Amino acid sequence: ALEYEGYQTIDAHHKIEAMLWRFQGHALLVWAFWPVLVALQSTVPALRCSPETGFSNLMLGVLALVVLHHAAAESRAWASAKALLTRPELTVLHQLGVLRRRRALVLLGILEDFDIYSSLNFPFLAFVCDAHVHGRWLRSWAPVPLMGQNFVRMLEYLRFWGVSGLLVAAVVLSALMSFFRLRFQECRRADLLHPQANVASGKQSQVFSADAPRLDGEQFFVLARWAETALMPSVAGLCEEMGEQRRWVYDAKDRTGGALAATKARQSLVFGWDTFDRVK
């Protein structure tokens, strides 16, 4: 099916596939490849961070490559998202300031990359600083009323780096769960993937149906959640605004004669023109 743009048509199927490819690639890079690479610091001395020198130069080099991948993936995903819109819709988004906010949101996404990198490395940095941090941390919990001593006994075994590692692992697992839920549930529910299965079962997707060329609001919201998982707030904002715009569809009411017939019926009811014509 085709999404109309001005007087031309584009293939929405390939545009959506291109967007999902960029989203999934960067999401897996950040939430799967990065944690594994950071975990290798415990076995590879060249990757370890230290209190004296900080993060390894090799890891900072990997961070720079991830940022470059983010910029390239965001640029192509943004172009694919704009290609799904008509020219009047782009004009409306420009008037609302959605397109103008892109630069600031791209910078925000890159800062999120730095934030996740520092969060993933924090437990390992806490581990190498454990001799200086652990005792002070326990003493800070001791004066807490009621539960202070119980927490001290529990944290004495978990230690500061262990607790921070558990919290970071929970964040990574929640992001991976969101990724797989989008991949295997939300995309299928919104008919963004595997349209041939719907055609074979007699359930033609609205995205690929020739009778309904427009993407609806729910499908744009699913794309926005994909962009948020991939740390691309610029694309997420664009898709969310389009999801709000696509919630409202113009209904010409052709079956009842359209707006002209509704106007005539209202005038007949107010002025009694039908009754006057019958009397005449």
Side-chain angles (χ1 to χ4, degrees):
L2 300 176
E3 182 77 11
Y4 288 90
E5 181 184 11
Y7 299 104
Q8 299 177 350
T9 56
I10 62 173
D11 193 341
H13 181 189
H14 289 89
K15 297 298 181 181
I16 293 174
E17 283 188 342
M19 292 178 64
L20 294 179
W21 176 259
R22 304 303 172 187
F23 294 154
Q24 294 174 11
H26 193 70
L28 288 175
L29 182 64
V30 172
W31 299 113
F33 171 75
W34 238 358
V36 172
L37 183 62
V38 171
L40 290 177
Q41 292 184 97
S42 59
T43 58
V44 181
L47 300 178
R48 293 176 185 172
C49 54
S50 65
E52 295 80 13
T53 61
F55 298 127
S56 168
N57 291 333
L58 292 176
M59 295 296 294
L60 293 177
V62 174
L63 174 61
L65 293 177
V66 172
V67 170
L68 290 177
H69 182 273
H70 181 125
E74 189 279 339
S75 177
R76 296 182 180 180
W78 177 268
S80 298
K82 286 183 63 178
L84 293 173
L85 312 181
T86 62
R87 291 181 181 177
E89 288 171 338
L90 289 173
T91 303
V92 171
L93 294 180
H94 179 75
Q95 295 294 328
L96 294 175
V98 176
L99 305 181
R100 189 165 50 249
R101 292 194 293 265
R102 182 196 175 191
R103 293 183 179 179
L105 292 177
V106 170
L107 179 59
L108 177 62
I110 293 176
L111 291 177
E112 288 180 351
D113 286 335
F114 283 99
D115 179 58
I116 293 175
Y117 172 78
S118 61
S119 299
L120 293 174
N121 278 277
F122 183 79
F124 296 94
L125 189 60
F127 176 77
V128 298
C129 300
D130 186 65
H132 306 283
V133 176
H134 182 65
R136 297 180 182 180
W137 194 48
L138 291 181
R139 288 193 295 271
S140 67
W141 276 99
V144 177
L146 300 178
M147 301 297 295
Q149 295 300 324
N150 293 329
F151 272 97
V152 168
R153 287 191 292 268
M154 178 181 65
L155 299 176
E156 188 174 0
Y157 295 99
L158 291 177
R159 310 192 73 82
F160 180 70
W161 63 268
V163 174
S164 60
L166 290 175
L167 294 176
V168 171
V171 172
V172 173
L173 289 177
S174 64
L176 290 176
M177 289 176 60
S178 176
F179 174 87
F180 287 111
R181 182 177 67 253
L182 286 170
R183 177 65 179 82
F184 296 105
Q185 293 183 7
E186 296 292 333
C187 285
R188 292 183 179 179
R189 184 170 62 85
D191 292 336
L192 290 179
L193 291 175
H194 308 301
Q196 64 275 10
N198 295 327
V199 175
S201 61
K203 299 178 180 179
Q204 177 68 34
S205 169
Q206 186 175 358
V207 179
F208 308 99
S209 173
D211 298 330
R214 291 170 55 88
L215 304 181
D216 61 23
E218 181 183 1
Q219 291 157 343
F220 272 104
F221 282 126
V222 172
L223 292 174
R225 287 193 289 271
W226 264 116
E228 292 173 352
T229 305
L231 308 181
M232 298 182 188
S234 58
V235 184
L238 177 63
C239 292
E240 286 176 355
E241 185 60 37
M242 276 310 306
E244 291 290 341
Q245 297 292 330
R246 291 291 177 89
R247 292 175 61 185
W248 313 104
V249 180
Y250 174 71
D251 185 7
K253 300 182 176 65
D254 293 332
R255 290 178 297 180
T256 58
L260 179 60
T263 302
K264 290 183 176 181
R266 189 177 302 108
Q267 292 174 348
S268 299
L269 179 63
V270 173
F271 300 107
W273 288 352
D274 289 344
T275 303
F276 177 76
D277 291 338
R278 284 195 300 269
V279 172
K280 185 178 179 180

